[in-house]
């Protein structure tokens, strides 16, 4: 009986240790991780593949930036610049506790730190290859990113010179939608009233950019210039 009791105690202790180890793993807490690896592929300006030291390859979505989509002005330049800065480099991937660990596509959300301690996302913003993008919650490096973005914009660096800003759109009068309308009153042109939309959804609808008239519940205006998904 005593031997059985001791066996149960040992089994319980092993389970407790396993649970504690799992809770402390890098993917257990949102954004709380540090990985190291080598960049193996540049998908576009804000997305890349990294082979971690464990041998696993991760697709990384850079936190806090947005670069032009394929077919948009400055897409090629942003992709080339990301390749110049990061391709084949040994990097450090750092999560952000204010953000999710992964996005809805399964991509790891991270800052990518280059050799010499340079932040890839910051470098792309400072060079005018990317814009600041807040998905849902403000991220830790938001202040530094916004400062770099404002400097790049005032110097008309990169896409700020080549592509300019969005075409001027007369500000519509934000009147309440008609009775029974399914258009959200905070945006023009019409966006549906749903739980959430992101810029990929807006571009797929063919209505980007949109004018932000109200509180921006869909968080489309990452740089707070009155336009979303430029």
């Amino acid at each position: 009986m005593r031997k059985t009791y001791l066996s149960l105690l040992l089994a319980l202790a092993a389970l407790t240790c396993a649970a504690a180890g799992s809770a402390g793993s890098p993917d257990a807490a949102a954004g709380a991780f540090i990985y190291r690896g080598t960049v193996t592929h540049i998908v576009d300006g804000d997305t890349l593949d990294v082979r971690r030291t464990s041998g696993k390859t991760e697709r990384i979505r850079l936190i806090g930036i947005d670069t032009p989509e394929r077919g948009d002005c400055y897409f090629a330049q942003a992709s080339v610049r990301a390749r110049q800065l990061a391709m084949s480099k040994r990097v450090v991937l750092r999560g952000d506790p204010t953000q999710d660990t992964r996005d809805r596509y399964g991509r790891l959300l991270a800052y990518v730190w280059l050799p010499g301690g340079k932040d890839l996302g910051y470098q792309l913003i400072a060079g005018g290859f990317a814009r600041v993008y807040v998905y849902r919650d403000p991220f830790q490096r938001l202040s530094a990113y916004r400062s770099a973005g404002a400097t790049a914009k005032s110097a008309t660096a990169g896409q700020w010179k080549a592509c300019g800003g969005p075409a001027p759109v007369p500000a519509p009068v934000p009147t309440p939608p008609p009775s029974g309308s399914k258009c959200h009153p905070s945006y023009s042109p019409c966006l549906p009233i749903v739980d959430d939309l992101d810029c990929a959804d807006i571009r797929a609808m063919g209505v980007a950019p949109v004018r932000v008239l109200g509180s921006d519940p869909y968080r489309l205006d990452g740089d707070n210039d009155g336009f979303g998904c430029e």
Side-chain angles (χ1 to χ4, degrees):
M1 182 70 177
R2 176 174 178 149
K3 191 176 290 186
T4 302
Y5 179 69
L6 288 174
S7 297
L8 287 172
L9 285 178
L10 289 172
L12 181 59
L15 287 172
T16 302
C17 289
S22 174
S25 66
D27 282 335
F33 62 84
I34 298 176
Y35 296 135
R36 289 172 172 79
T38 302
V39 177
T40 59
H41 178 61
I42 302 297
V43 179
D44 56 29
D46 54 38
T47 308
L48 60 155
D49 293 339
V50 173
R51 186 176 64 250
R52 288 168 43 189
T53 52
S54 66
K56 179 181 181 180
T57 296
E58 294 273 12
R59 179 144 293 183
I60 312 300
R61 176 60 168 89
L62 296 177
I63 292 172
I65 78 167
D66 188 40
T67 59
E69 303 291 333
R70 187 177 299 276
D72 291 344
C73 178
Y74 233 64
F75 166 81
Q77 292 90 332
S79 302
V80 167
R81 185 55 177 158
R83 190 173 296 112
Q84 290 172 339
L85 289 169
M87 187 62 193
S88 301
K89 301 289 180 63
R90 293 182 61 82
V91 297
V92 177
L93 308 174
R94 292 184 182 271
D96 187 327
T98 68
Q99 306 298 303
D100 293 332
T101 299
R102 297 182 185 274
D103 67 8
R104 62 178 179 171
Y105 304 109
R107 299 176 298 185
L108 193 68
L109 299 172
Y111 303 109
V112 172
W113 290 90
L114 302 167
K118 293 184 177 180
D119 174 3
L120 176 59
Y122 182 93
Q123 298 300 313
L124 292 171
I125 291 173
F129 298 94
R131 301 186 186 212
V132 178
Y133 177 62
V134 178
Y135 171 63
R136 184 177 59 218
D137 300 318
F139 52 93
Q140 287 184 330
R141 291 183 54 73
L142 178 57
S143 177
Y145 278 26
R146 280 184 170 164
S147 177
T151 299
K153 187 174 183 179
S154 65
T156 59
Q159 65 179 318
W160 296 108
K161 179 178 182 180
C163 309
V169 177
V173 178
T175 55
S179 177
S181 170
K182 296 182 179 180
C183 295
H184 201 294
S186 290
Y187 303 99
S188 178
C190 177
L191 296 183
I193 300 174
V194 294
D195 289 338
D196 193 23
L197 287 174
D198 61 25
C199 285
D201 301 321
I202 303 304
R203 293 186 180 106
M205 293 164 59
V207 296
V210 296
R211 177 78 175 181
V212 179
L213 308 174
S215 60
D216 193 19
Y218 296 153
R219 304 170 297 278
L220 304 178
D221 184 11
D223 56 3
N224 298 311
D225 65 352
F227 292 89
C229 308
E230 297 104 313

